[in-house]
């Protein structure tokens, strides 16, 4: 006899979501549905009609966990709409900022899953390791982008200023010092995940992967014509779930996809493993990739080079696209500028892509593993809500203009 297991809200993630699992007599999940219940914030509408420079400042506040990807996706979208080619040094500083943020974000995730995988005798070691890594990563973002949380120096057209030669040498030395600590941390996490004994095949789906770059992002690898976005009633076969869901369903080639560290590793690194363990392994290994990238940039950066392009803010009404590989997955912002004002703005944020994939990933295994599957994908719902309910009584009247392109 079928039974329904509801976890609401799901825990140790950002934002609020529900996991609804239908299970059989053995407790095996036969149908998994995961959806956001986080209210809309409407920042895409707030920036419309305002000067282009307003958007990166406002949309970085969509989420306190991913301010860097949102800032970078926003300025990249504006750069594209305004036809700006930023200087090489500016690009390097942006890549450095994201690399440091990726290390920080993945370390936060390790803190969130620590109760799942870290035994009591190693808990202090693991948490102290996370803290030390985060402290250094945030120091880099602070020095390069102006602030560790809301990066004030990432600007349309490039960066507000280059870093000094003294800062470059200092950051280079600190990241080189971090490397053995980070390597040990990655080895610790991968070993603990392996020791946890997650069932082989748990968390595996048949969803294709979607990534635009090995680490930073590349709008040329995101085809807007292959993207569609549908309302939850068209996706969830449970009307009650569809009513409660607060996010649209993004599809690529008409299918739900998987984004994030494992998707990037599979697309650009030949990583073939799938499922819960693979998600954790790919995320941990990506910390090493990001650190190597950051060190390389600091070794090559010309601190005397210009970092801001000349540009006309008037705009031509071109739809600009910014595709950034945030820690949780591809973060796409779209902006249209004309007459010096933002005429249109939309975000396709990382967790939104994974929402329709995470539910089915719980199927085929005992429901007790459901939360572990969800956390393996590292969802962050704070920025995923993409529509509003007009009638809060019966939640049946939906305003869908926020999803139209």
């Amino acid at each position: 006899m079928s039974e329904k297991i509801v976890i609401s809200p799901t825990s140790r993630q950002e934002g609020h979501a529900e996991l609804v699992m239908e299970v059989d007599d053995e407790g095996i999940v036969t149908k998994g549905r995961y959806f956001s219940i986080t209210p809309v914030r409407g920042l895409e509408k707030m920036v419309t009609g305002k000067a282009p420079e307003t958007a990166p400042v406002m949309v970085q506040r969509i989420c306190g966990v991913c301010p860097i990807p949102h800032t970078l996706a926003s300025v990249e979208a504006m750069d594209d709409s305004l036809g700006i080619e930023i200087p090489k040094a500016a690009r390097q500083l942006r890549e450095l900022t994201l690399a440091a943020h990726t290390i920080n974000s993945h370390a936060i995730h390790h803190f969130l899953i620590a109760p799942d995988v870290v035994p009591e005798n190693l808990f202090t070691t693991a948490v102290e390791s996370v803290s030390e890594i985060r402290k250094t990563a945030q120091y880099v973002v602070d020095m390069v982008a102006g602030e560790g949380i809301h990066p004030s120096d990432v600007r349309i057209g490039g960066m507000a200023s280059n870093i000094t030669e003294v800062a470059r040498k200092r950051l280079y030395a600190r990241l080189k010092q971090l490397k053995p600590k980070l390597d040990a941390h990655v080895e610790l996490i991968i070993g603990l995940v392996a020791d946890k004994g997650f069932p082989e095949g748990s968390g595996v789906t048949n969803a294709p992967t979607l990534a635009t770059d090995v680490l930073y992002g590349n709008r040329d690898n995101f085809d807007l014509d292959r993207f569609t976005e549908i309302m939850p009633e068209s996706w969830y076969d449970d009307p009650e779930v569809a009513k409660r869901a607060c996010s649209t369903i993004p599809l690529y080639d008409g299918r739900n996809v998987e984004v994030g560290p494992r998707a990037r590793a599979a697309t650009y690194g030949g990583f073939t493993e799938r499922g819960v363990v693979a998600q954790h392994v790919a995320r941990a290994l990506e910390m090493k990739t990001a650190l190597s990238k950051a060190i390389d940039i600091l070794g090559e950066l010309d601190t005397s080079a210009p970092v801001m392009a000349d540009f006309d803010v008037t705009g031509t009404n071109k739809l600009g696209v910014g595709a950034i590989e945030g820690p949780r997955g591809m973060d796409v912002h779209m902006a249209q500028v004309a007459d010096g004002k933002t005429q249109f703005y939309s975000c396709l944020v990382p967790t939104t892509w994974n929402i329709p994939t995470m539910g089915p990933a719980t199927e085929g295994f005992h429901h007790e593993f459901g939360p572990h599957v969800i956390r393996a994908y590292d969802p962050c719902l704070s920025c995923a809500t993409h529509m509003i309910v007009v009638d809060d009584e019966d939640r049946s009247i939906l305003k869908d203009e926020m999803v139209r392109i």
Side-chain angles (χ1 to χ4, degrees), residues 148-168:
I149 302 298
H150 296 123
S152 55
D153 289 350
V154 180
R155 306 285 178 84
I156 297 171
M159 300 288 288
S161 60
N162 205 332
I163 60 174
T164 66
E165 185 61 14
V166 171
R168 185 191 69 80

mmCIF file of all heavy atoms in Angstrom, residues 148-168:
data_model
loop_
_atom_site.group_PDB
_atom_site.id
_atom_site.type_symbol
_atom_site.label_atom_id
_atom_site.label_comp_id
_atom_site.label_asym_id
_atom_site.label_seq_id
_atom_site.Cartn_x
_atom_site.Cartn_y
_atom_site.Cartn_z
ATOM 1 N N GLY A 148 33.584 40.974 1.068
ATOM 2 C CA GLY A 148 33.469 39.518 1.063
ATOM 3 C C GLY A 148 32.067 39.030 0.751
ATOM 4 O O GLY A 148 31.891 37.950 0.191
ATOM 5 N N ILE A 149 31.038 39.798 1.129
ATOM 6 C CA ILE A 149 29.660 39.357 0.917
ATOM 7 C C ILE A 149 29.065 40.013 -0.330
ATOM 8 O O ILE A 149 28.638 39.332 -1.263
ATOM 9 C CB ILE A 149 28.789 39.688 2.144
ATOM 10 C CG1 ILE A 149 29.366 39.023 3.394
ATOM 11 C CG2 ILE A 149 27.348 39.217 1.899
ATOM 12 C CD1 ILE A 149 29.416 37.513 3.332
ATOM 13 N N HIS A 150 29.003 41.335 -0.355
ATOM 14 C CA HIS A 150 28.444 42.047 -1.500
ATOM 15 C C HIS A 150 29.571 42.799 -2.215
ATOM 16 O O HIS A 150 29.970 43.878 -1.781
ATOM 17 C CB HIS A 150 27.342 43.008 -1.048
ATOM 18 C CG HIS A 150 26.167 42.294 -0.455
ATOM 19 N ND1 HIS A 150 25.704 42.533 0.811
ATOM 20 C CD2 HIS A 150 25.381 41.319 -0.959
ATOM 21 C CE1 HIS A 150 24.662 41.744 1.069
ATOM 22 N NE2 HIS A 150 24.458 40.995 0.004
ATOM 23 N N PRO A 151 30.048 42.225 -3.310
ATOM 24 C CA PRO A 151 31.256 42.753 -3.965
ATOM 25 C C PRO A 151 31.002 44.082 -4.677
ATOM 26 O O PRO A 151 30.436 44.119 -5.766
ATOM 27 C CB PRO A 151 31.618 41.653 -4.960
ATOM 28 C CG PRO A 151 30.314 40.989 -5.264
ATOM 29 C CD PRO A 151 29.494 41.052 -4.004
ATOM 30 N N SER A 152 31.447 45.160 -4.070
ATOM 31 C CA SER A 152 31.171 46.503 -4.589
ATOM 32 C C SER A 152 32.038 46.886 -5.780
ATOM 33 O O SER A 152 31.720 47.828 -6.506
ATOM 34 C CB SER A 152 31.368 47.530 -3.473
ATOM 35 O OG SER A 152 32.684 47.403 -2.923
ATOM 36 N N ASP A 153 33.159 46.187 -6.008
ATOM 37 C CA ASP A 153 34.105 46.594 -7.055
ATOM 38 C C ASP A 153 33.929 45.846 -8.365
ATOM 39 O O ASP A 153 34.679 46.080 -9.314
ATOM 40 C CB ASP A 153 35.546 46.420 -6.555
ATOM 41 C CG ASP A 153 35.897 47.446 -5.487
ATOM 42 O OD1 ASP A 153 35.105 48.386 -5.293
ATOM 43 O OD2 ASP A 153 36.952 47.287 -4.842
ATOM 44 N N VAL A 154 32.965 44.915 -8.444
ATOM 45 C CA VAL A 154 32.665 44.266 -9.718
ATOM 46 C C VAL A 154 31.673 45.166 -10.441
ATOM 47 O O VAL A 154 30.555 45.364 -9.983
ATOM 48 C CB VAL A 154 32.061 42.864 -9.520
ATOM 49 C CG1 VAL A 154 31.767 42.217 -10.868
ATOM 50 C CG2 VAL A 154 33.003 41.980 -8.703
ATOM 51 N N ARG A 155 32.091 45.738 -11.562
ATOM 52 C CA ARG A 155 31.287 46.765 -12.227
ATOM 53 C C ARG A 155 30.997 46.390 -13.677
ATOM 54 O O ARG A 155 31.740 45.613 -14.310
ATOM 55 C CB ARG A 155 32.043 48.099 -12.218
ATOM 56 C CG ARG A 155 32.502 48.586 -10.853
ATOM 57 C CD ARG A 155 31.351 49.130 -10.024
ATOM 58 N NE ARG A 155 31.805 49.546 -8.695
ATOM 59 C CZ ARG A 155 32.350 50.747 -8.419
ATOM 60 N NH1 ARG A 155 32.488 51.637 -9.415
ATOM 61 N NH2 ARG A 155 32.750 51.045 -7.201
ATOM 62 N N ILE A 156 29.932 46.952 -14.207
ATOM 63 C CA ILE A 156 29.693 46.854 -15.643
ATOM 64 C C ILE A 156 30.907 47.456 -16.351
ATOM 65 O O ILE A 156 31.365 48.536 -15.995
ATOM 66 C CB ILE A 156 28.415 47.618 -16.037
ATOM 67 C CG1 ILE A 156 27.195 46.997 -15.360
ATOM 68 C CG2 ILE A 156 28.234 47.626 -17.549
ATOM 69 C CD1 ILE A 156 25.933 47.813 -15.517
ATOM 70 N N GLY A 157 31.456 46.743 -17.331
ATOM 71 C CA GLY A 157 32.636 47.228 -18.043
ATOM 72 C C GLY A 157 33.943 46.738 -17.466
ATOM 73 O O GLY A 157 35.000 46.996 -18.040
ATOM 74 N N GLY A 158 33.915 46.033 -16.339
ATOM 75 C CA GLY A 158 35.160 45.508 -15.786
ATOM 76 C C GLY A 158 35.156 45.486 -14.273
ATOM 77 O O GLY A 158 34.257 44.920 -13.656
ATOM 78 N N MET A 159 36.173 46.120 -13.698
ATOM 79 C CA MET A 159 36.295 46.204 -12.239
ATOM 80 C C MET A 159 36.570 47.661 -11.880
ATOM 81 O O MET A 159 37.108 48.438 -12.669
ATOM 82 C CB MET A 159 37.443 45.324 -11.744
ATOM 83 C CG MET A 159 37.310 43.852 -12.062
ATOM 84 S SD MET A 159 36.052 42.994 -11.085
ATOM 85 C CE MET A 159 36.829 42.921 -9.461
ATOM 86 N N ALA A 160 36.230 48.048 -10.650
ATOM 87 C CA ALA A 160 36.440 49.432 -10.223
ATOM 88 C C ALA A 160 37.912 49.794 -10.235
ATOM 89 O O ALA A 160 38.292 50.920 -10.585
ATOM 90 C CB ALA A 160 35.853 49.633 -8.829
ATOM 91 N N SER A 161 38.771 48.849 -9.860
ATOM 92 C CA SER A 161 40.208 49.114 -9.838
ATOM 93 C C SER A 161 40.963 47.800 -9.841
ATOM 94 O O SER A 161 40.417 46.756 -9.469
ATOM 95 C CB SER A 161 40.599 49.933 -8.598
ATOM 96 O OG SER A 161 40.266 49.219 -7.416
ATOM 97 N N ASN A 162 42.199 47.856 -10.266
ATOM 98 C CA ASN A 162 43.092 46.702 -10.183
ATOM 99 C C ASN A 162 43.593 46.576 -8.744
ATOM 100 O O ASN A 162 43.524 47.537 -7.971
ATOM 101 C CB ASN A 162 44.261 46.888 -11.152
ATOM 102 C CG ASN A 162 44.878 45.563 -11.588
ATOM 103 O OD1 ASN A 162 44.833 44.586 -10.843
ATOM 104 N ND2 ASN A 162 45.440 45.527 -12.778
ATOM 105 N N ILE A 163 44.084 45.415 -8.373
ATOM 106 C CA ILE A 163 44.692 45.284 -7.054
ATOM 107 C C ILE A 163 46.135 45.758 -7.140
ATOM 108 O O ILE A 163 46.728 45.828 -8.227
ATOM 109 C CB ILE A 163 44.621 43.838 -6.525
ATOM 110 C CG1 ILE A 163 45.366 42.862 -7.454
ATOM 111 C CG2 ILE A 163 43.178 43.411 -6.342
ATOM 112 C CD1 ILE A 163 45.451 41.438 -6.901
ATOM 113 N N THR A 164 46.701 46.082 -6.014
ATOM 114 C CA THR A 164 48.088 46.538 -5.996
ATOM 115 C C THR A 164 49.036 45.341 -6.096
ATOM 116 O O THR A 164 48.641 44.191 -5.848
ATOM 117 C CB THR A 164 48.399 47.306 -4.704
ATOM 118 O OG1 THR A 164 48.305 46.384 -3.593
ATOM 119 C CG2 THR A 164 47.411 48.455 -4.498
ATOM 120 N N GLU A 165 50.278 45.631 -6.427
ATOM 121 C CA GLU A 165 51.275 44.565 -6.509
ATOM 122 C C GLU A 165 51.509 43.934 -5.134
ATOM 123 O O GLU A 165 51.708 42.718 -5.014
ATOM 124 C CB GLU A 165 52.581 45.125 -7.075
ATOM 125 C CG GLU A 165 53.668 44.095 -7.334
ATOM 126 C CD GLU A 165 53.278 43.022 -8.361
ATOM 127 O OE1 GLU A 165 52.279 43.202 -9.087
ATOM 128 O OE2 GLU A 165 53.967 41.998 -8.415
ATOM 129 N N VAL A 166 51.450 44.758 -4.103
ATOM 130 C CA VAL A 166 51.608 44.234 -2.740
ATOM 131 C C VAL A 166 50.470 43.263 -2.413
ATOM 132 O O VAL A 166 50.688 42.178 -1.850
ATOM 133 C CB VAL A 166 51.642 45.390 -1.719
ATOM 134 C CG1 VAL A 166 51.588 44.837 -0.289
ATOM 135 C CG2 VAL A 166 52.872 46.248 -1.918
ATOM 136 N N ALA A 167 49.240 43.636 -2.817
ATOM 137 C CA ALA A 167 48.081 42.766 -2.555
ATOM 138 C C ALA A 167 48.205 41.465 -3.337
ATOM 139 O O ALA A 167 47.888 40.386 -2.821
ATOM 140 C CB ALA A 167 46.799 43.496 -2.927
ATOM 141 N N ARG A 168 48.650 41.575 -4.593
ATOM 142 C CA ARG A 168 48.795 40.353 -5.401
ATOM 143 C C ARG A 168 49.757 39.370 -4.734
ATOM 144 O O ARG A 168 49.460 38.177 -4.622
ATOM 145 C CB ARG A 168 49.314 40.719 -6.805
ATOM 146 C CG ARG A 168 49.390 39.528 -7.764
ATOM 147 C CD ARG A 168 50.152 39.866 -9.034
ATOM 148 N NE ARG A 168 51.580 40.055 -8.784
ATOM 149 C CZ ARG A 168 52.461 39.079 -8.644
ATOM 150 N NH1 ARG A 168 52.064 37.818 -8.737
ATOM 151 N NH2 ARG A 168 53.738 39.337 -8.414
#
